[in-house]
Amino acid sequence: MKLTVLGYYGGYPDHGIGTSSYLLQSEGFNLLIDCGSGALLSLEEVLDPLKLDAVILSHYHYDHTADVGVLQYYWQLHPEGHKQAILPIYGHAEDQPQLDALNWAGATEAHAYSVNEVLNLGPFKIKLMRTQHPVPAFAMRIEEIQTGKVLAFTADTNYFDNLVEFSKNAELLLTDTNFFNDKTGQRWHLTAGESGYLAHQANVKQLLLTHLPQVGDLDTLVAQAKETAGSEINVAHVKLRQEIVI
Ligand SMILES: [Zn+2]
Ligand SMILES: [Zn+2]
């Protein structure tokens, strides 16, 4: 499978780079994970948006959903050329108005996922786990069925132990690393050190830091994650439209 980073900031876009959004492709299936601010512009550079097979949203904070509306208009205003008639958008059902907003006549249809069920989406098997965040948010463990390879994505969360089992032995772990280690006070995101520690405990092969801060030196962020990840794990921060083959 191949992951393409469409946006990686937390909170708001900055200097032409958008917020959380990733394209995951396997066997011709195109899954959009989160659809933050700037996602559609970035997606247009790498894939005709009408060729999407599905969208899945980790939660309904705007830095993960801001471009859902314009994606819906895009599908509505291009009645020809859809890979399928209606684009399914998967989200949780704990905020009914937000879930309902994923429906758009002639364009998209809302589907609820649940932590109690494995979601089968094309070539992927997706497990979800509730994270610790001010609103309901869900980490994803995405397995490519044919190869058994796993991409784990923490979504937005502070650190808690269940993240380790959930991410276990993933080929690639994407972590919400919005903070440097010196962050004090309430944290609803991981620090770089916590991301590295999680990667080490979960025995993943590769750690990519995302949901990045707009201010601060990203080399320092990576160095802080490497300290706790250990030397066996490849640690980097994501880059715009970076392609990662898993
Ligand atoms: Zn966020
Ligand atoms: Zn959030």
Side-chain angles (χ1 to χ4, degrees):
M1 55 184 154
K2 183 174 83 175
L3 185 80
T4 305
V5 177
L6 302 177
Y8 58 70
Y9 278 135
Y12 57 89
D14 192 47
H15 289 84
I17 297 172
T19 61
S20 187
S21 190
Y22 313 91
L23 175 66
L24 185 64
Q25 297 172 291
S26 172
E27 299 174 38
F29 191 93
N30 303 311
L31 173 64
L32 187 66
I33 303 170
D34 281 348
C35 189
S37 177
L40 189 58
L41 270 175
S42 195
L43 177 64
E44 287 168 354
E45 298 292 322
V46 297
L47 182 81
D48 176 353
L50 301 177
K51 303 304 179 202
L52 286 174
D53 289 276
V55 180
I56 186 166
L57 304 173
S58 61
H59 64 307
Y60 300 132
H61 273 157
Y62 294 126
D63 52 330
H64 302 254
T65 64
D67 269 17
V68 168
V70 289
L71 177 62
Q72 290 172 319
Y73 296 158
Y74 192 100
W75 271 61
Q76 180 189 14
L77 296 171
H78 293 84
E80 306 292 326
H82 293 191
K83 190 168 179 183
Q84 56 193 321
I86 301 289
L87 177 65
I89 305 182
Y90 292 82
H92 69 75
E94 295 182 29
D95 183 333
Q96 197 61 44
Q98 293 278 9
L99 182 66
D100 289 344
L102 305 182
N103 290 303
W104 193 251
T108 65
E109 188 172 71
H111 292 261
Y113 59 61
S114 153
V115 294
N116 302 318
E117 287 168 16
V118 173
L119 177 61
N120 287 295
L121 267 185
F124 305 119
K125 214 166 70 174
I126 304 177
K127 287 184 190 158
L128 298 131
M129 180 181 72
R130 181 186 300 275
T131 70
Q132 295 187 354
H133 204 52
V135 297
F138 295 86
M140 302 175 199
R141 182 181 174 90
I142 304 177
E143 182 181 332
E144 187 181 41
I145 295 165
Q146 198 177 40
T147 63
K149 289 184 175 178
V150 169
L151 162 69
F153 171 43
T154 63
D156 285 10
T157 187
N158 60 16
Y159 187 86
F160 63 108
D161 287 340
N162 288 352
L163 287 167
V164 173
E165 190 58 38
F166 192 74
S167 311
K168 206 79 184 174
N169 300 326
E171 304 290 320
L172 176 67
L173 172 62
L174 275 173
T175 56
D176 160 17
T177 312
N178 208 224
F179 296 137
F180 291 87
N181 286 351
D182 60 0
K183 171 71 180 174
T184 54
Q186 177 66 58
R187 298 202 303 259
W188 292 117
H189 306 278
L190 304 175
T191 64
E194 287 169 335
S195 285
Y197 179 76
L198 170 60
H200 180 78
Q201 294 297 110
N203 190 40
V204 306
K205 288 209 175 71
Q206 192 177 358
L207 170 64
L208 273 173
L209 313 179
T210 189
H211 206 277
L212 300 176
Q214 291 84 354
V215 177
D217 174 22
L218 294 181
D219 289 341
T220 301
L221 197 76
V222 170
Q224 290 179 349
K226 277 184 174 168
E227 268 175 35
T228 43
S231 55
E232 317 84 62
I233 299 175
N234 183 21
V235 182
H237 64 79
V238 293
K239 298 183 175 66
L240 188 63
R241 290 197 274 284
Q242 178 182 11
E243 294 183 355
I244 305 139
V245 177
I246 304 162

